[in-house]
Amino acid sequence: MTSFPLLAVLLPFVAAFAGLLLSRWPHQRPPATVHPPAAPRSPQTPPRAAGERANARAAWLAILPTAASALLAAWLAWAPGFAFLAGETTSPQPTGQTYGTVTTGAIPISLTLQADTLSALIGVLVTLVALAVQVYSVGYLKDDPRYPSYSAFISLFTSAMLLVVYAGDLLVLYVGWEIMGLCSYLLIGHWWEDRGNSRAAVKAFLVTRLGDVGFLFGIFVLGQAAGSFRIADVLAKAPEMSTATVVTATMLLLAGVAGKSAQVPLHTWLPDAMAGPTPISALIHAATMVAAGIFIVARLFDVFRAAPPTLDVLAVMAALGMLGAALAALAQDDLKRVLAYSTVSQLAYMAGGLAASSDTSAIFHLLTHGAFKALLFLCAGAVIHHVGSNLMTQMGGLRRELPITFVTMTIGFAALMGIPPASGFFSKDAILAAMDDALAAGTLTDAAALLLYGCALATVAVTGAYATRAWLRTFFGEARAVALPEPQPGTAHVVDVTEAPRTMLVPVILLAVPALLLGFAGELHVDLGVAVISVVLAVLGAGVVYAFWRSDPVADPARLLGPLRVPCEQAFYADQLYAALFVRPVLALARLVVRTDDVVVDGAVRGSGRSARGLSGVLRLAQNGNVQLYVSGVLAGVLLIAVGAVMFA
């Protein structure tokens, strides 16, 4: 079992290279056709058949190793089980092995992979969601010519996240952390022909890299203070570190956490990342990338707990993020953007649980959120497949046409709202109870604790509102969808059947089980008072939206926001603010640099060339090959010398 973490990481890594190199092997040119170039090709011509075979081969190369990795992750999690959910924060005997040491000029890097209770549980989440996404993508991107590279990048994404989860050294963890950033760029920009998609990919890459700069320096501070980058050594040395060192390191790490987990102020990339295929959204939002930031705080929780100012900052970030993102979700018309802002809000719940000194409740919600958010995104993909649009204004009445999707997505929305007995009820109740305890026990400053708990309760009501609005506008009312013709490559494939293909339905049905029942895993600690308040608030938010929808099923219930609707729809103008404060000044500075380089630097070079050419023209007048002129010049020189000698002798 000591090699299981390594195998779990390597299997999808090898699958990625195999998918890139072998899915189209052997590379054969299609035979010459007897038709003239203008004649249309038959759908059964060899190039299309070769593409179908390549896609099928790529699917097997992606699914089988991911399934094997999921089995290994499940085996690693079998022994500790759900001990973490029952309150244990560490494993007494982590399973793992050190595969060597990289000698540096100062602190060596230990190539260690290990699995304790925390990493074992997150490893199961990552591999199962990745497997569901791989299977789902077979039907979703059936005719996509770039499916082989797409499935290979998902495998690489999975391997990178598993490296983060199982790493026993901070710098080894950082390698997986950065590979995930590359994979997100490649997958968000999968349909790069659309300029909006490529811009969304670049935005995600740049914003997360901005946070990663601080994250890397935070690792350096911890490693220097502990004398080692091994996570176990850092945690052991944390009590001996000075307060200034711990606060500095955790604040820097928090920058990377905000970038990866899309928290205020580095949250703006995640809604735009919806430009990628829907299965990628499910993978990013449920099991990789955004989950990595929360995992890191839980992984180094003893260090963060020794830095109260950092926890206060985390609490304020979480409070602003959870309520602001929930209000933004309430005003969106794009179904995927509703779920994207929902992810920002739910991740802020987890960050709030960590700020309230309850890593167990935060990880519990991370697990349940991974199940129901993957379910919601995959169901949204089935709806988009059927309708041919992301906009809820073109949906409605789909419960009769998509009965399986309707039932499973209803389970996902119930878990998102925190309605019992769905899994989200138990995990959200645990976080709210931790915030209530923090308000009473004083683990945070009074202002931060009060802000966090107040925003969390308000977010419960707003979550009930936006989830109910999306549910009603998608599945109820009059059908507004019209079947569209087959789209161009790079857009959602529209099917003309009642439900999505079986490869898409099976993962959705299987994910509905943990979304509904995962809350019963481990020991249940339900605070009755907090639970009643949260359910009442969620039902109140849902009831207000239902009343507005019932009064006019055609109109958007988001009108209840009144004058706040446009600011909420624009996510409180965060992108516009960043554009004014950073983007436009940087572009202006770049233009100034270009102009300075062109006028001053290049101008000096061009000026020196023109001066040399002018001087050479003057010298050329004297060197014209006329012997008489040369003799005359010599005589004139002799005459001048003689006159000078006479005058100054």
Side-chain angles (χ1 to χ4, degrees), residues 131-153:
L131 179 60
V133 168
Q134 289 281 23
V135 174
Y136 184 94
S137 299
V138 173
Y140 193 86
L141 295 173
K142 178 181 178 182
D143 300 322
D144 195 303
R146 289 197 293 271
Y147 172 78
S149 60
Y150 164 89
S151 61
F153 292 146

Side-chain angles (χ1 to χ4, degrees), residues 295-429:
F295 170 81
I296 286 301
V297 179
R299 192 66 154 147
L300 301 174
F301 191 61
D302 289 343
V303 180
F304 279 85
R305 193 155 42 189
T310 303
L311 294 182
D312 284 338
V313 172
L314 183 61
V316 174
M317 289 171 51
L320 297 178
M322 66 174 68
L323 184 55
L327 289 171
L330 183 57
Q332 303 301 312
D333 187 40
D334 188 321
L335 180 59
K336 288 177 66 177
R337 289 182 74 88
V338 171
L339 298 179
Y341 281 112
S342 169
T343 298
V344 177
S345 181
Q346 296 301 306
L347 289 167
Y349 263 114
M350 303 170 206
L354 292 166
S357 297
S358 179
D359 56 339
T360 303
S361 64
I363 294 302
F364 188 17
H365 195 55
L366 179 62
L367 294 173
T368 60
H369 175 265
F372 68 71
K373 189 52 63 70
L375 172 64
L376 285 172
F377 267 108
L378 296 186
C379 287
V383 170
I384 294 168
H385 246 64
H386 185 81
V387 176
S389 172
N390 292 9
L391 303 180
M392 289 185 289
T393 52
Q394 300 183 23
M395 301 175 187
L398 294 177
R399 69 185 187 279
R400 293 180 293 271
E401 301 176 25
L402 305 174
I404 298 177
T405 303
F406 168 66
V407 172
T408 53
M409 200 166 190
T410 300
I411 293 173
F413 278 130
L416 173 61
M417 294 170 60
I419 301 299
S423 61
F425 164 75
F426 298 98
S427 58
K428 188 176 293 186
D429 175 78

